[in-house]
Amino acid sequence: MTRARRLTVLGAAAALAGSLMAVPAAAGTAAPARPAADRDGTLTATPEKTPVAVGHGGAVSSVDPDASAAGIAVLRKGGNAVDAAVATAAALGVTEPYSAGIGGGGYFVSYDARTRTVRTLDGRETAPRSAGKDLFLENGKPLPFEDAVTSGLSVGTPGTAATWDTALRKWGSRSLRQVLRPAQRLAAGGFTVDETFRRQTADNEARFRDFPATARLYLPGGKLPVVGSTLKNPDLARTYGELANRGVGALYDGALARDIVRTVRKPPLRAGSPRTVRPGDLTAGDLRAYRVLSQAPTRTGYRGLDVYGMAPSSSGGTSVAEALNILEKSDLSRLSEKQFLHRYIEAARIAFADRGRWVGDPAQEDVPTKGLTSQRFADARACLIHDDKALTSPLAPGDPRHPARCAAAGRAAPTTYEGEDTTHLTVADKWGNVVAYTLTIEQTGGSGIVVPHRGFLLNNELTDFSFAPASPSVHDPNLPGPGKRPRSSMSPTIVLRHGRPVVALGSPGGATIITTVLQTLVNHLDRGMPLVDAIAAPRASQRNAALTELEPGLWNSPVRRQLEALGHAFKENPEIGAATGVQRLPDGRWLAAAEKVRRGGGSARVVHRS
């Protein structure tokens, strides 16, 4: 790597470190305090959301201040990054219940400072062992998507609780009981309803009303929750208490497991509802058989850095790696905004074409992960990009097993739909350990079905499967199957230099997760943006579709017309993703960064060394 290139990669971190030397450890505009779990899990006043914070003793970044405070409380009491990540995730199950919780699953990527290694856990949900390719077909035709979502059919075996248990046993320093305490008290004492929570509830009001347990919890008194009011979830507090006392095995084999199975197999619809809610076929045996998978991360080199991500069943690690490998031959730091966005959009388009053909659950599909992340394959695909003309989607895939310059390996097929709601958290501790953890229940509000008396929503993750092949003549690796994990776009990512952390990040957003993580990385590493600004920058998302989605900042920019002149076509998306990240500064401090505006802004917090 040349000296100029090395300075480009290092520029944002060094410049930001210098600029922050004289500012307080938590930057951003102060806002009114609100209750949050802190230190020992009691409810105390904590600052409202701030997008950036810097300190020596560890860092947490999430979308919610109560959740970030729960992670900080664990770090302050001597817990490590893994402990704090689980505590933060458990609190998000209270305050972000429409995005995550123990009714869902996710991917956990962890860096160990002692061994300088990255390891991952696949806690993705699984289909019932009875599931076949026709899971979402009726009379030979795919179900309407919304009918499939709000049903027992869409519910996969939850993996989140098992992920927490596995992570703590393997790499944590605190017990499940200890790290659940802040979230348990938060559920019992309640959290303050904000505008985002009310809006998400309103978007789901019609279907929430059709399930009495859901309506009782999220439509208190039969009405939408009021902004500024306190929403309590005593059922979830008791459920967390049961997991703390009995272990997560209670969710997979016991009374709680039986409640989940009963709810899936006979969804508790209100009397008189006109809604048709199809039952699922999840069994007690499916729950008992569930296992979190420990597996190697994806890895690719990028401008002297090592970029680690989540391997299949996620498509995030392979797709981000392929796109970075395609872009590596371009000097992105010197390009105009038009040229930069053109090449970024085209790299994403190509990566999604290859993702659609090759990535599925590797337990049931032959996924060429090594080939997809290789520079040789990326070079064979990069030649498709021309500076004076945009590619056309759907683009045909290449063959990573036998890379050939500009060659296709089959017919083009459109990208199938994937729900856009998830949550991501990023944590670092004083020892240098880092966690990037993305978790989800899929759609906003999941299946819409709360397990009665248990206080959590069930996922609709199985709708991440393709209901039918996008093209009858093209093999689809993401069709349902017995015990199969649906393909995901979740992309928790950790970047190292010489075995030490540089930056870690991730985002919600369904298939837009991949483009959000990719664009944030190149904004930061190549374009020299401080991490918080790289996260805040307006986004474009191309997923091998006819139209590239643009946030308003790009939609209303002159660069849109410049790109349209190259043949790009666009549609506006008001908000793409909601990223969080942490960065190791050259002076050894941690910087936590979150959204400034998206989802009402994120919450970056740090521990201050005494």
Side-chain angles (χ1 to χ4, degrees):
M1 185 167 60
T2 66
R3 183 176 183 273
R5 165 58 54 207
R6 189 177 297 109
L7 289 174
T8 298
V9 174
L10 291 171
L16 185 59
S19 69
L20 286 169
M21 290 295 181
V23 303
T29 302
R34 80 180 204 181
D38 199 14
R39 288 190 180 269
D40 61 353
T42 57
L43 296 176
T44 63
T46 189
E48 263 289 2
K49 296 181 176 182
T50 57
V52 62
V54 180
H56 281 284
V60 179
S61 184
S62 80
V63 297
D64 182 79
D66 291 321
S68 293
I72 289 292
V74 170
L75 291 177
R76 281 179 179 155
K77 293 177 72 68
N80 66 21
V82 171
D83 305 321
V86 174
T88 305
L92 287 168
V94 180
T95 61
E96 286 275 303
Y98 305 153
S99 302
I102 57 173
Y107 298 108
F108 195 101
V109 178
S110 174
Y111 166 79
D112 179 72
R114 184 180 61 83
T115 61
R116 300 189 186 183
T117 57
V118 176
R119 55 275 175 105
T120 77
L121 297 175
D122 181 333
R124 186 68 160 150
E125 302 86 343
T126 57
R129 291 174 294 179
S130 62
K133 293 182 179 180
D134 60 350
L135 179 65
F136 292 113
L137 302 182
E138 281 190 0
N139 301 317
K141 296 182 178 180
L143 286 171
F145 187 78
E146 291 304 320
D147 290 356
V149 166
T150 309
S151 75
L153 279 177
S154 69
V155 181
T157 303
T160 291
T163 300
W164 296 351
D165 181 63
T166 304
L168 291 172
R169 285 189 293 103
K170 282 178 170 286
W171 311 312
S173 67
R174 297 293 185 266
S175 68
L176 183 65
R177 178 194 296 273
Q178 290 171 304
V179 300
L180 285 182
R181 190 171 294 128
Q184 189 177 351
R185 293 182 177 175
L186 184 61
F191 66 95
T192 304
V193 172
D194 62 13
E195 188 59 49
T196 298
F197 188 87
R198 179 182 166 88
R199 184 180 68 251
Q200 290 177 337
T201 309
D203 291 343
N204 284 281
E205 183 177 3
R207 65 185 188 133
F208 280 8
R209 289 194 183 280
D210 282 336
F211 300 99
T214 309
R216 270 194 304 274
L217 179 55
Y218 296 123
L219 298 170
K223 299 178 181 179
L224 289 172
V226 176
V227 174
S229 65
T230 299
L231 188 73
K232 299 180 180 181
N233 191 341
D235 285 343
L236 183 58
R238 285 189 290 270
T239 298
Y240 278 170
E242 185 171 345
L243 296 180
N245 293 328
R246 297 190 52 213
V248 300
L251 190 144
Y252 297 96
D253 188 11
L256 177 53
R258 291 191 292 274
D259 288 346
I260 292 171
V261 170
R262 185 183 306 113
T263 304
V264 171
R265 298 181 71 88
K266 191 176 181 180
L269 193 66
R270 70 171 172 86
S273 170
R275 187 184 298 273
T276 299
V277 179
R278 292 161 177 82
D281 196 33
L282 189 73
T283 67
D286 291 319
L287 287 173
R288 286 194 298 270
Y290 184 81
R291 297 292 182 271
V292 171
L293 303 179
S294 299
Q295 59 190 49
T298 59
R299 178 195 166 279
T300 191
Y302 186 69
R303 310 202 193 282
L305 305 172
D306 293 303
V307 181
Y308 292 88
M310 194 68 215
S313 57
S314 176
S315 64
T318 57
S319 299
V320 169
E322 181 181 352
L324 287 175
N325 287 338
I326 290 171
L327 292 170
E328 186 158 20
K329 297 297 177 68
S330 301
D331 188 351
L332 302 182
S333 67
R334 297 180 180 272
L335 298 181
S336 68
E337 186 179 18
K338 180 193 80 170
Q339 293 170 322
F340 162 68
L341 287 171
H342 170 65
R343 293 192 192 179
Y344 153 72
I345 288 169
E346 299 295 62
R349 189 194 313 269
I350 293 167
F352 266 88
D354 299 327
R355 161 197 188 263
R357 168 60 183 85
W358 299 105
V359 182
D361 182 349
Q364 300 188 29
E365 301 287 339
D366 183 12
V367 183
T369 300
K370 186 175 181 180
L372 287 167
T373 58
S374 71
Q375 190 64 51
R376 181 184 174 207
F377 180 56
D379 291 345
R381 300 291 280 160
C383 65
L384 295 170
I385 299 175
H386 300 284
D387 285 340
D388 60 349
K389 183 179 180 182
L391 293 165
T392 301
S393 288
L395 183 71
D399 189 344
R401 303 166 304 178
H402 307 289
R405 182 174 172 80
C406 296
R411 297 181 60 182
T415 298
T416 53
Y417 178 76
E418 187 176 333
E420 293 192 356
D421 206 61
T422 298
T423 196
H424 178 82
L425 62 97
T426 322
V427 180
D429 64 30
K430 63 184 179 181
W431 298 285
N433 304 303
V434 180
V435 171
Y437 182 22
T438 313
L439 59 161
T440 184
I441 59 172
E442 218 275 327
Q443 291 283 108
T444 305
S447 66
I449 306 171
V450 164
V451 180
H453 310 297
R454 295 298 188 172
F456 63 90
L457 285 155
L458 291 171
N459 69 82
N460 65 289
E461 289 298 345
L462 301 189
T463 59
D464 272 355
F465 284 122
S466 304
F467 288 16
S471 173
S473 61
V474 178
H475 174 72
D476 189 331
N478 192 41
L479 293 173
K484 194 173 183 179
R485 296 170 191 241
R487 181 174 63 209
S488 171
S489 296
M490 291 185 278
S491 308
T493 302
I494 296 177
V495 180
L496 306 182
R497 179 187 292 110
H498 305 310
R500 297 185 182 277
V502 173
V503 67
L505 73 159
S507 177
T512 70
I513 294 172
I514 291 168
T515 56
T516 294
V517 169
L518 173 64
Q519 189 174 359
T520 303
L521 281 172
V522 293
N523 279 344
H524 180 58
L525 299 176
D526 289 289
R527 305 288 282 180
M529 293 184 187
L531 182 58
V532 70
D533 294 334
I535 288 171
R539 293 181 183 137
S541 182
Q542 167 54 239
R543 307 186 298 279
N544 197 26
L547 301 176
T548 299
E549 296 178 12
L550 295 183
E551 287 188 324
L554 290 173
W555 178 263
N556 298 319
S557 167
V559 77
R560 173 165 68 94
R561 291 184 289 276
Q562 296 170 13
L563 290 167
E564 286 171 339
L566 297 179
H568 290 280
F570 301 105
K571 67 177 179 179
E572 189 174 11
N573 185 331
E575 185 174 284
I576 299 174
T580 74
V582 299
Q583 177 189 0
R584 189 71 155 179
L585 298 177
D587 65 358
R589 293 183 298 167
W590 286 110
L591 179 145
E595 296 288 355
K596 295 180 178 180
V597 176
R598 297 181 186 96
R599 281 206 192 180
S603 175
R605 300 198 70 192
V606 294
V607 177
H608 304 299
R609 188 168 60 191
S610 56

